[in-house]
Amino acid sequence: MNDLSIETPNEEEFKLFQHLIERELGIYLPSEKKVMLGNRLWKRVVANECASYRRYYRLICRVDNAKELARELELITTNETFFFREKKHFQFLEEELPQYFQQYKKLKVWSAACSTGEEPYSIAMTLMNTGYINSWSVMASDVNKKVLQKAKDAIYLDQRTQNIPPDYRKKYFQQGIGEFNGYIRVKPEVRKRVAFLQCNLSNDFSHIGLFDVVFLRNVLIYFSLERKKDILQRVSKQMKKGGVLFTGHSESLHGLVSDLKCICPAIYLKQ
Ligand SMILES: C[S@@+](CC[C@H](N)C(=O)[O-])C[C@H]1O[C@@H](n2cnc3c(N)ncnc32)[C@H](O)[C@@H]1O
């Protein structure tokens, strides 16, 4: 085996990983993703001195190898995100949401696939800045422990923060110095308003509590139609009546859940 050039799994090997990934994460990898799977896993195949993908598959399926399995799964998730992604959602949070929540004393928000934290911190900064409600909390979750750790650290490359409004940048971030030159960090007063939790949306999460607002953005695209439907129904159960759900702009919920009514593009009201 040559560790310099990345090998692509054959059809049989691909199927083994396809089933494993769907079982563990709910993520469905169509066969066009064979090369992508190779690109993401090859390093681990080589690092574990496995002669083939099949050997690596056997290795991660061993009960005493849960750590390597977790590592493999972390390489599969796509964690692309950025601050204030889909700006209209944050405008809605700032300008429209108050009319829905006048009756509430406390606003509970769930960012259900939070990746490295840009989404929940954007929500927290928006709520902090508008000040229309004092009592609010953000719970942020993801299946991938590695990205959750980055989210908790809240340290970001300066270049990746162009979308942050300048006044937010000034108020809610610290500039890194010394070894952190070129980085910024979310200030403690924002960090402490966001709690992080590992949660696999494919598994039961009924213990997680009830929310007024849920962000479930740019994650449904990775699931099969059946799985998407199942996750949406269970997410909807965790929402209070009159609660608001935000999804990614490319993710249509049409015909998937009956108790969520579309009120704006990619924004739904729980009936
Ligand atoms: C593309 S990112 C989206 C991040 C953010 N919501 C946004 O819109 O910018 C998708 C995230 O979904 C997470 N994810 C994938 N499968 C998941 C699952 N079964 N349960 C929970 N999170 C999952 C990934 O780890 C990844 O961080």
Side-chain angles (χ1 to χ4, degrees):
M1 239 188 183
N2 174 6
D3 58 353
L4 293 176
S5 55
I6 297 169
E7 281 190 20
T8 302
N10 64 35
E11 188 60 30
E12 228 177 277
E13 290 169 328
F14 177 76
K15 285 240 145 61
L16 292 174
F17 285 95
Q18 188 186 45
H19 289 143
L20 175 77
I21 291 161
E22 184 153 35
R23 192 182 69 225
E24 296 291 328
L25 297 176
I27 295 175
Y28 175 71
L29 288 188
S31 49
E32 306 90 80
K33 298 282 182 188
K34 226 184 263 166
V35 173
M36 178 215 99
L37 188 78
N39 285 338
R40 296 201 181 175
L41 295 191
W42 180 247
K43 263 195 184 160
R44 299 310 307 154
V45 176
V46 173
N48 283 284
E49 298 178 353
C50 294
S52 64
Y53 282 98
R54 178 181 283 279
R55 285 263 171 93
Y56 179 62
Y57 174 81
R58 274 200 223 122
L59 179 100
I60 57 176
C61 288
R62 276 188 359 216
V63 276
D64 59 341
N65 242 336
K67 250 192 174 164
E68 185 62 32
L69 173 63
R71 214 162 167 176
E72 184 262 340
L73 295 173
E74 280 168 6
L75 290 169
I76 295 305
T77 60
T78 297
N79 308 113
E80 161 74 7
T81 185
F82 46 91
F83 284 101
F84 297 94
R85 183 179 197 174
E86 303 185 11
K87 227 176 175 175
K88 290 229 162 88
H89 284 165
F90 295 94
Q91 272 166 3
F92 186 94
L93 208 57
E94 196 172 330
E95 292 159 18
E96 311 286 328
L97 202 72
Q99 78 189 46
Y100 292 93
F101 289 106
Q102 271 151 7
Q103 74 271 37
Y104 291 114
K105 289 210 166 73
K106 183 175 163 85
L107 188 72
K108 278 183 76 191
V109 185
W110 178 22
S111 163
C114 70
S115 189
T116 38
E118 287 87 335
E119 180 178 279
Y121 290 131
S122 301
I123 300 167
M125 287 185 276
T126 305
L127 293 175
M128 210 168 235
N129 201 54
T130 57
Y132 61 70
I133 184 153
N134 287 327
S135 185
W136 54 268
S137 62
V138 180
M139 216 266 295
S141 66
D142 200 283
V143 69
N144 185 328
K145 270 192 176 164
K146 215 169 169 182
V147 293
L148 279 174
Q149 188 52 54
K150 283 197 177 162
K152 283 181 204 163
D153 292 343
I155 298 171
Y156 302 96
L157 259 179
D158 218 347
Q159 312 145 352
R160 294 204 63 238
T161 56
Q162 311 93 325
N163 278 349
I164 304 170
D167 53 326
Y168 279 41
R169 167 94 206 237
K170 232 181 188 167
K171 267 201 227 167
Y172 301 122
F173 288 88
Q174 299 164 311
Q175 189 70 47
I177 48 168
E179 62 170 315
F180 289 106
N181 203 7
Y183 291 88
I184 57 170
R185 189 173 199 196
V186 180
K187 280 191 177 169
E189 60 261 39
V190 183
R191 293 207 307 267
K192 74 176 182 213
R193 303 293 295 262
V194 184
F196 291 97
L197 177 86
Q198 189 188 23
C199 170
N200 185 342
L201 293 168
S202 283
N203 297 343
D204 176 40
F205 48 76
S206 53
H207 54 282
I208 210 161
L210 276 182
F211 295 88
D212 303 296
V213 173
V214 178
F215 278 66
L216 183 68
R217 307 189 312 162
N218 304 302
V219 63
L220 292 172
I221 35 166
Y222 301 109
F223 303 124
S224 67
L225 191 67
E226 276 311 298
R227 182 81 62 154
K228 211 186 283 190
K229 207 168 172 178
D230 167 58
I231 291 175
L232 272 167
Q233 278 166 355
R234 289 185 295 116
V235 165
S236 173
K237 280 193 187 146
Q238 302 310 125
M239 293 176 65
K240 292 182 194 161
K241 208 167 169 228
V244 175
L245 172 73
F246 295 88
T247 64
H249 276 93
S250 55
E251 300 167 310
S252 162
L253 305 198
H254 188 70
L256 292 178
V257 211
S258 53
D259 57 1
L260 293 170
K261 183 183 155 213
C262 187
I263 48 171
C264 283
I267 306 178
Y268 297 81
L269 188 71
K270 167 83 185 266
Q271 307 283 283

